[in-house]
Amino acid sequence: MLSSIREAIALTMTTVWLIGGTSESRQLAQGLVKRGVECVVTVTTEPARSLYATYPGLTVWVGKLKGSSLSEFTRSHNVSVILDTSHPWAVKISQLAIAFSECSQIPYLRYERPPVTNHSSSSHILTLDSFATLVSGKYLTDQHVFLTVGYQRLPLFQPWQHQATLFARVLPSAKSIQMAQEAGFTSDRLIAIRPPIPEALELALWQHWQISLVVTKASGDAGGEAIKRQLCDRLGIPLITIARPKMTYPQQTEDIEEAIEFCLSHVI
C-alpha cells in the first residue's frame, strides 16, 4: 500500500529542465534538488557530465537536442518548467528552448550570468561588436595574440596565421584540438586546459609566449573575463573583448535565488 502511494506521488511530480554547461548551472541544480525538486540537466559532452555531483532527483542527459525531439524529451521527463543557464554564447539552444516554450506553453526563464561590472578605465581595453569586425580590421597585425574565444571560432583566424603570431587556449578534447590544428595552430602555440584558470598560471603563460594582445569573449566573471582585464591592465597589454550576441529573452534574471523560486512556483 505504501509503495503504491509513493509511486503515485512520483508520477505526479514534475521536473525542471535545466539547460546546463556552466558553473552557475551546477549551483542551480544543487539548489533545486536540495529543495526536493526533480531536475534534468542537459549538456552536450561527456566531460560536462562530471561537473555535476550525484544527487537523488538529479538526472544529467548528454547529447544535442533538436526541435523534433523536444516534445518527446519533455514528455518523457515530465518537464513543467525550463530554466536556461547555458553559456551566453550558446544562442542556438536558447533560441530552440524559447521557441519550444512558446508553442508548448511551458514556462521559460533565462538565467544570464552578470557581465563584468568592475570595468577598468584603462585605454588598453577595447570592446568590439563581433568577430567579423575583429578579423576584417587590422587589430591583429604583427601582434603576439592570445585567443580565448572557443575552438569553434578559431577557423576565422586562419587567414591571419601569416600576419600575426597566434596562440590559443581550448578545452582538452580531441575535437577542439583537431579544429585548432586545422586552423593552423601548431602544438607550440596551443594549450588545452579546462577553466577556470588561476591568475598565476594565466600570467605565466602570457609571459612565456610574450603575448602583446589578448582576445576574449564577454563571458562574465565566471568565464575569467575579470582576471584577463586585471592582467592586461597590470601588464599594459591591449585586451579586445567581443560583445555577447544580442538575444531577446521572454523572462530573464541574474539572481540565482530568483531563478530557483521561479522553478518552485511551476513544479507540482
Side-chain angles (χ1 to χ4, degrees), residues 53-261:
T54 301
Y55 293 103
L58 178 63
T59 301
V60 181
W61 187 95
V62 181
K64 291 188 177 181
L65 288 166
K66 299 179 179 179
S68 57
S69 62
L70 283 184
S71 291
E72 174 57 29
F73 172 81
T74 54
R75 184 168 53 251
S76 63
H77 291 282
N78 203 21
V79 170
S80 64
V81 58
I82 302 170
L83 180 56
D84 181 2
T85 64
S86 59
H87 193 277
W89 287 76
V91 295
K92 288 185 178 179
I93 185 60
S94 293
Q95 291 169 339
L96 189 67
I98 291 168
F100 180 76
S101 167
E102 291 173 348
C103 70
S104 65
Q105 299 299 301
I106 295 178
Y108 167 99
L109 178 67
R110 166 65 174 173
Y111 172 84
E112 181 85 342
R113 61 170 55 162
V116 173
T117 53
N118 185 26
H119 293 291
S120 170
S121 59
S122 171
S123 60
H124 296 301
I125 299 173
L126 174 65
T127 299
L128 298 180
D129 64 340
S130 67
F131 283 101
T133 298
L134 173 63
V135 298
S136 64
K138 296 187 180 298
Y139 304 96
L140 311 179
T141 303
D142 298 329
Q143 299 283 350
H144 274 222
V145 184
F146 184 44
L147 300 169
T148 60
V149 298
Y151 73 90
Q152 294 180 342
R153 289 167 183 83
L154 292 183
L156 296 172
F157 297 90
Q158 188 166 9
W160 279 94
Q161 290 288 3
H162 301 292
Q163 301 175 63
T165 305
L166 304 182
F167 302 84
R169 181 167 68 225
V170 297
L171 290 174
S173 71
K175 184 177 181 180
S176 61
I177 294 172
Q178 179 183 354
M179 186 168 287
Q181 291 175 332
E182 290 174 352
F185 291 85
T186 53
S187 59
D188 60 323
R189 292 189 285 115
L190 189 64
I191 184 170
I193 186 172
R194 183 172 293 280
I197 311 300
E199 183 176 340
L201 177 57
E202 193 84 271
L203 174 61
L205 186 61
W206 295 10
Q207 292 177 328
H208 174 68
W209 278 338
Q210 298 181 320
I211 297 301
S212 62
L213 173 67
V214 178
V215 178
T216 191
K217 299 184 293 188
S219 54
D221 283 338
E225 184 185 347
I227 289 178
K228 297 185 188 78
R229 286 174 175 266
Q230 292 165 10
L231 285 180
C232 282
D233 202 33
R234 171 180 165 187
L235 298 174
I237 296 173
L239 172 68
I240 295 179
T241 301
I242 308 301
R244 295 179 183 182
K246 293 182 179 179
M247 277 283 295
T248 300
Y249 300 103
Q251 297 186 82
Q252 182 177 343
T253 183
E254 294 180 353
D255 188 288
I256 286 182
E257 189 60 32
E258 184 178 328
I260 291 175
E261 291 298 327

